[in-house]
Amino acid sequence: MTQVEKVLYTAKTHTTGGRDGGSGKSDDGHLDVKFSTPGSAGSGTNPEQMFAAGWSACFIGAMGLAARKMKVTLPADTAVDAEVDLCNVDGAYFLQARLNVSLPGLERDVAQAIVDGAHQTWPYSKATRGNVDVVLNVV
């Protein structure tokens, strides 16, 4: 395990009821969600959607760091469309994901270098590496 020099932030949530009709709230009140299973008629979100949204936001931040190292400015309309699949094989559940990255106005090789740089340093990439099949697409 990596020796921690400094904890930058700790997210704290309280969840009850699980993914089918449950709810989750953050200790600061900024997050208050209801959960529904994917594809159901329920009105809540699901963990896969939350993961995709958080992952996308973090990845844009990591691309900003990678771009600054390359002395490149990210376009104002930078976007990531994340697709997180909940999969099942022989009763075992797992995730796979695609991040479709739009960096309008940048040369494709520059955009790819930014995406690759972000993927090497980004905490979600490190956490999922070897556990979740991730495809990065520059679109």
Side-chain angles (χ1 to χ4, degrees):
M1 185 168 209
T2 303
Q3 181 66 31
V4 175
E5 184 177 305
K6 180 180 179 182
V7 173
L8 301 174
Y9 174 74
T10 300
K12 296 179 184 178
T13 62
H14 180 76
T15 302
T16 58
R19 68 187 292 129
D20 189 9
S23 64
K25 295 181 180 183
S26 62
D27 67 331
D28 63 5
H30 292 289
L31 179 70
D32 187 355
V33 296
K34 303 287 185 223
F35 294 112
S36 299
T37 54
S40 74
S43 61
T45 187
N46 60 65
E48 292 74 25
Q49 289 173 332
M50 301 225 8
F51 186 50
W55 201 343
S56 299
C58 248
F59 197 74
I60 290 172
M63 286 192 304
L65 292 173
R68 281 192 290 285
K69 285 182 182 177
M70 296 171 57
K71 298 187 183 347
V72 174
T73 301
L74 283 184
D77 49 353
T78 293
V80 175
D81 293 320
E83 300 171 357
V84 175
D85 302 323
L86 175 61
C87 306
N88 184 299
V89 172
D90 297 325
Y93 293 94
F94 63 96
L95 299 175
Q96 64 184 22
R98 289 161 307 286
L99 299 181
N100 301 304
V101 181
S102 175
L103 295 165
L106 294 183
E107 295 292 326
R108 184 164 190 79
D109 61 330
V110 172
Q112 188 67 57
I114 289 170
V115 167
D116 292 344
H119 191 54
Q120 291 307 308
T121 60
W122 171 49
Y124 282 63
S125 289
K126 290 178 180 180
T128 60
R129 193 167 286 127
N131 297 309
V132 175
D133 183 25
V134 179
V135 175
L136 302 170
N137 299 307
V138 175
V139 296

Short mmCIF file of all heavy atoms in Angstrom, two decimals, residues 85-118:
data_model
loop_
_atom_site.label_atom_id
_atom_site.label_comp_id
_atom_site.label_asym_id
_atom_site.label_seq_id
_atom_site.Cartn_x
_atom_site.Cartn_y
_atom_site.Cartn_z
N ASP A 85 -20.62 0.16 -18.30
CA ASP A 85 -21.46 -1.02 -18.45
C ASP A 85 -21.40 -1.88 -17.20
O ASP A 85 -20.31 -2.19 -16.71
CB ASP A 85 -20.98 -1.90 -19.62
CG ASP A 85 -20.95 -1.17 -20.95
OD1 ASP A 85 -21.85 -0.34 -21.19
OD2 ASP A 85 -20.02 -1.43 -21.74
N LEU A 86 -22.56 -2.28 -16.70
CA LEU A 86 -22.65 -3.29 -15.66
C LEU A 86 -22.82 -4.61 -16.39
O LEU A 86 -23.78 -4.79 -17.14
CB LEU A 86 -23.84 -3.02 -14.73
CG LEU A 86 -24.13 -4.07 -13.66
CD1 LEU A 86 -22.94 -4.22 -12.71
CD2 LEU A 86 -25.39 -3.70 -12.90
N CYS A 87 -21.89 -5.53 -16.22
CA CYS A 87 -21.87 -6.78 -16.98
C CYS A 87 -21.99 -7.98 -16.05
O CYS A 87 -21.75 -7.87 -14.85
CB CYS A 87 -20.55 -6.89 -17.76
SG CYS A 87 -20.21 -5.47 -18.82
N ASN A 88 -22.33 -9.12 -16.64
CA ASN A 88 -22.46 -10.35 -15.88
C ASN A 88 -22.00 -11.51 -16.74
O ASN A 88 -22.39 -11.62 -17.89
CB ASN A 88 -23.93 -10.54 -15.47
CG ASN A 88 -24.12 -11.75 -14.60
OD1 ASN A 88 -23.84 -12.87 -15.00
ND2 ASN A 88 -24.62 -11.53 -13.40
N VAL A 89 -21.15 -12.33 -16.17
CA VAL A 89 -20.73 -13.59 -16.80
C VAL A 89 -20.82 -14.68 -15.75
O VAL A 89 -20.19 -14.57 -14.69
CB VAL A 89 -19.29 -13.50 -17.37
CG1 VAL A 89 -18.81 -14.86 -17.84
CG2 VAL A 89 -19.19 -12.49 -18.49
N ASP A 90 -21.64 -15.67 -16.02
CA ASP A 90 -21.79 -16.82 -15.12
C ASP A 90 -22.10 -16.39 -13.68
O ASP A 90 -21.55 -16.93 -12.72
CB ASP A 90 -20.54 -17.71 -15.14
CG ASP A 90 -20.30 -18.32 -16.50
OD1 ASP A 90 -21.30 -18.64 -17.19
OD2 ASP A 90 -19.13 -18.50 -16.88
N GLY A 91 -22.94 -15.37 -13.52
CA GLY A 91 -23.34 -14.91 -12.20
C GLY A 91 -22.38 -13.96 -11.52
O GLY A 91 -22.64 -13.49 -10.42
N ALA A 92 -21.26 -13.66 -12.18
CA ALA A 92 -20.28 -12.72 -11.61
C ALA A 92 -20.45 -11.35 -12.28
O ALA A 92 -20.46 -11.26 -13.50
CB ALA A 92 -18.86 -13.24 -11.82
N TYR A 93 -20.58 -10.31 -11.48
CA TYR A 93 -20.75 -8.96 -11.99
C TYR A 93 -19.41 -8.25 -12.13
O TYR A 93 -18.50 -8.48 -11.35
CB TYR A 93 -21.64 -8.14 -11.05
CG TYR A 93 -23.05 -8.65 -11.01
CD1 TYR A 93 -23.46 -9.55 -10.03
CD2 TYR A 93 -23.99 -8.23 -11.95
CE1 TYR A 93 -24.76 -10.03 -9.99
CE2 TYR A 93 -25.29 -8.70 -11.92
CZ TYR A 93 -25.67 -9.60 -10.93
OH TYR A 93 -26.95 -10.06 -10.91
N PHE A 94 -19.32 -7.40 -13.16
CA PHE A 94 -18.12 -6.58 -13.34
C PHE A 94 -18.50 -5.36 -14.16
O PHE A 94 -19.58 -5.28 -14.73
CB PHE A 94 -16.98 -7.38 -14.00
CG PHE A 94 -17.29 -7.86 -15.39
CD1 PHE A 94 -16.88 -7.12 -16.50
CD2 PHE A 94 -17.98 -9.05 -15.60
CE1 PHE A 94 -17.16 -7.56 -17.79
CE2 PHE A 94 -18.25 -9.49 -16.89
CZ PHE A 94 -17.84 -8.75 -17.99
N LEU A 95 -17.59 -4.40 -14.20
CA LEU A 95 -17.79 -3.17 -14.96
C LEU A 95 -16.82 -3.12 -16.13
O LEU A 95 -15.72 -3.67 -16.07
CB LEU A 95 -17.54 -1.93 -14.09
CG LEU A 95 -18.42 -1.75 -12.87
CD1 LEU A 95 -17.94 -0.55 -12.05
CD2 LEU A 95 -19.87 -1.58 -13.26
N GLN A 96 -17.24 -2.43 -17.17
CA GLN A 96 -16.34 -2.03 -18.26
C GLN A 96 -16.76 -0.62 -18.65
O GLN A 96 -17.89 -0.21 -18.38
CB GLN A 96 -16.38 -2.99 -19.43
CG GLN A 96 -17.71 -3.07 -20.14
CD GLN A 96 -17.71 -4.12 -21.25
OE1 GLN A 96 -16.92 -5.06 -21.25
NE2 GLN A 96 -18.61 -3.95 -22.19
N ALA A 97 -15.84 0.12 -19.26
CA ALA A 97 -16.15 1.53 -19.53
C ALA A 97 -15.49 2.04 -20.79
O ALA A 97 -14.46 1.51 -21.23
CB ALA A 97 -15.68 2.38 -18.35
N ARG A 98 -16.12 3.06 -21.35
CA ARG A 98 -15.56 3.81 -22.46
C ARG A 98 -15.65 5.29 -22.11
O ARG A 98 -16.70 5.76 -21.64
CB ARG A 98 -16.35 3.54 -23.74
CG ARG A 98 -16.12 2.15 -24.28
CD ARG A 98 -17.19 1.69 -25.24
NE ARG A 98 -18.56 1.81 -24.74
CZ ARG A 98 -19.12 1.01 -23.81
NH1 ARG A 98 -18.41 0.05 -23.25
NH2 ARG A 98 -20.39 1.16 -23.45
N LEU A 99 -14.56 5.99 -22.30
CA LEU A 99 -14.56 7.45 -22.15
C LEU A 99 -14.34 8.04 -23.52
O LEU A 99 -13.31 7.83 -24.15
CB LEU A 99 -13.45 7.90 -21.19
CG LEU A 99 -13.54 7.37 -19.76
CD1 LEU A 99 -12.38 7.92 -18.94
CD2 LEU A 99 -14.86 7.72 -19.12
N ASN A 100 -15.35 8.75 -24.01
CA ASN A 100 -15.30 9.39 -25.32
C ASN A 100 -14.99 10.86 -25.10
O ASN A 100 -15.83 11.60 -24.59
CB ASN A 100 -16.63 9.18 -26.05
CG ASN A 100 -16.93 7.70 -26.20
OD1 ASN A 100 -16.15 6.96 -26.76
ND2 ASN A 100 -18.06 7.26 -25.67
N VAL A 101 -13.78 11.25 -25.44
CA VAL A 101 -13.24 12.56 -25.09
C VAL A 101 -13.27 13.50 -26.29
O VAL A 101 -12.76 13.17 -27.36
CB VAL A 101 -11.80 12.43 -24.57
CG1 VAL A 101 -11.24 13.78 -24.19
CG2 VAL A 101 -11.74 11.45 -23.39
N SER A 102 -13.86 14.66 -26.09
CA SER A 102 -13.92 15.69 -27.13
C SER A 102 -13.04 16.87 -26.72
O SER A 102 -13.28 17.50 -25.68
CB SER A 102 -15.37 16.15 -27.31
OG SER A 102 -15.43 17.21 -28.23
N LEU A 103 -12.03 17.14 -27.53
CA LEU A 103 -11.13 18.27 -27.33
C LEU A 103 -11.12 19.09 -28.62
O LEU A 103 -10.15 19.07 -29.38
CB LEU A 103 -9.72 17.78 -26.98
CG LEU A 103 -9.60 17.04 -25.64
CD1 LEU A 103 -8.29 16.29 -25.55
CD2 LEU A 103 -9.75 18.02 -24.50
N PRO A 104 -12.23 19.81 -28.90
CA PRO A 104 -12.38 20.52 -30.18
C PRO A 104 -11.27 21.54 -30.42
O PRO A 104 -10.88 22.27 -29.52
CB PRO A 104 -13.73 21.22 -30.06
CG PRO A 104 -14.37 20.70 -28.84
CD PRO A 104 -13.34 20.04 -28.01
N GLY A 105 -10.78 21.53 -31.64
CA GLY A 105 -9.77 22.50 -32.04
C GLY A 105 -8.33 22.05 -31.83
O GLY A 105 -7.41 22.69 -32.33
N LEU A 106 -8.12 20.96 -31.11
CA LEU A 106 -6.75 20.46 -30.92
C LEU A 106 -6.43 19.42 -31.98
O LEU A 106 -7.31 18.65 -32.40
CB LEU A 106 -6.59 19.83 -29.53
CG LEU A 106 -6.70 20.75 -28.32
CD1 LEU A 106 -6.44 19.97 -27.03
CD2 LEU A 106 -5.74 21.92 -28.43
N GLU A 107 -5.19 19.41 -32.41
CA GLU A 107 -4.74 18.37 -33.34
C GLU A 107 -4.94 17.01 -32.67
O GLU A 107 -4.78 16.87 -31.45
CB GLU A 107 -3.26 18.56 -33.69
CG GLU A 107 -2.96 19.84 -34.45
CD GLU A 107 -3.55 19.82 -35.86
OE1 GLU A 107 -3.60 18.73 -36.46
OE2 GLU A 107 -3.97 20.89 -36.33
N ARG A 108 -5.28 16.03 -33.47
CA ARG A 108 -5.60 14.70 -32.92
C ARG A 108 -4.44 14.14 -32.09
O ARG A 108 -4.67 13.56 -31.02
CB ARG A 108 -5.98 13.74 -34.02
CG ARG A 108 -6.42 12.39 -33.48
CD ARG A 108 -7.17 11.57 -34.53
NE ARG A 108 -7.76 10.41 -33.95
CZ ARG A 108 -8.88 10.37 -33.25
NH1 ARG A 108 -9.55 11.47 -33.04
NH2 ARG A 108 -9.35 9.24 -32.75
N ASP A 109 -3.19 14.29 -32.56
CA ASP A 109 -2.06 13.72 -31.81
C ASP A 109 -1.86 14.44 -30.47
O ASP A 109 -1.49 13.83 -29.48
CB ASP A 109 -0.79 13.71 -32.65
CG ASP A 109 -0.33 15.09 -33.08
OD1 ASP A 109 -1.17 15.99 -33.26
OD2 ASP A 109 0.89 15.28 -33.26
N VAL A 110 -2.12 15.74 -30.43
CA VAL A 110 -2.02 16.51 -29.18
C VAL A 110 -3.13 16.06 -28.23
O VAL A 110 -2.89 15.82 -27.04
CB VAL A 110 -2.10 18.03 -29.44
CG1 VAL A 110 -2.19 18.81 -28.15
CG2 VAL A 110 -0.90 18.48 -30.28
N ALA A 111 -4.34 15.95 -28.75
CA ALA A 111 -5.47 15.50 -27.94
C ALA A 111 -5.19 14.10 -27.37
O ALA A 111 -5.43 13.85 -26.17
CB ALA A 111 -6.75 15.49 -28.76
N GLN A 112 -4.68 13.20 -28.19
CA GLN A 112 -4.39 11.84 -27.73
C GLN A 112 -3.32 11.85 -26.65
O GLN A 112 -3.41 11.11 -25.67
CB GLN A 112 -3.95 10.96 -28.91
CG GLN A 112 -3.82 9.50 -28.54
CD GLN A 112 -5.16 8.87 -28.21
OE1 GLN A 112 -6.08 8.90 -29.01
NE2 GLN A 112 -5.28 8.31 -27.01
N ALA A 113 -2.30 12.69 -26.80
CA ALA A 113 -1.24 12.78 -25.80
C ALA A 113 -1.80 13.29 -24.46
O ALA A 113 -1.39 12.82 -23.39
CB ALA A 113 -0.12 13.70 -26.29
N ILE A 114 -2.73 14.23 -24.52
CA ILE A 114 -3.36 14.74 -23.30
C ILE A 114 -4.16 13.63 -22.63
O ILE A 114 -4.07 13.41 -21.41
CB ILE A 114 -4.24 15.97 -23.61
CG1 ILE A 114 -3.35 17.16 -23.97
CG2 ILE A 114 -5.16 16.30 -22.44
CD1 ILE A 114 -4.10 18.34 -24.53
N VAL A 115 -4.96 12.91 -23.40
CA VAL A 115 -5.77 11.81 -22.87
C VAL A 115 -4.87 10.73 -22.26
O VAL A 115 -5.11 10.26 -21.15
CB VAL A 115 -6.68 11.23 -23.97
CG1 VAL A 115 -7.31 9.91 -23.54
CG2 VAL A 115 -7.77 12.25 -24.34
N ASP A 116 -3.82 10.36 -22.97
CA ASP A 116 -2.91 9.33 -22.47
C ASP A 116 -2.21 9.79 -21.19
O ASP A 116 -2.07 9.01 -20.24
CB ASP A 116 -1.87 8.97 -23.53
CG ASP A 116 -2.47 8.25 -24.72
OD1 ASP A 116 -3.62 7.75 -24.63
OD2 ASP A 116 -1.80 8.21 -25.78
N GLY A 117 -1.80 11.05 -21.15
CA GLY A 117 -1.15 11.59 -19.95
C GLY A 117 -2.08 11.60 -18.76
O GLY A 117 -1.69 11.25 -17.64
N ALA A 118 -3.32 11.99 -18.99
CA ALA A 118 -4.31 12.00 -17.92
C ALA A 118 -4.56 10.59 -17.40
O ALA A 118 -4.64 10.37 -16.18
CB ALA A 118 -5.61 12.62 -18.41
#
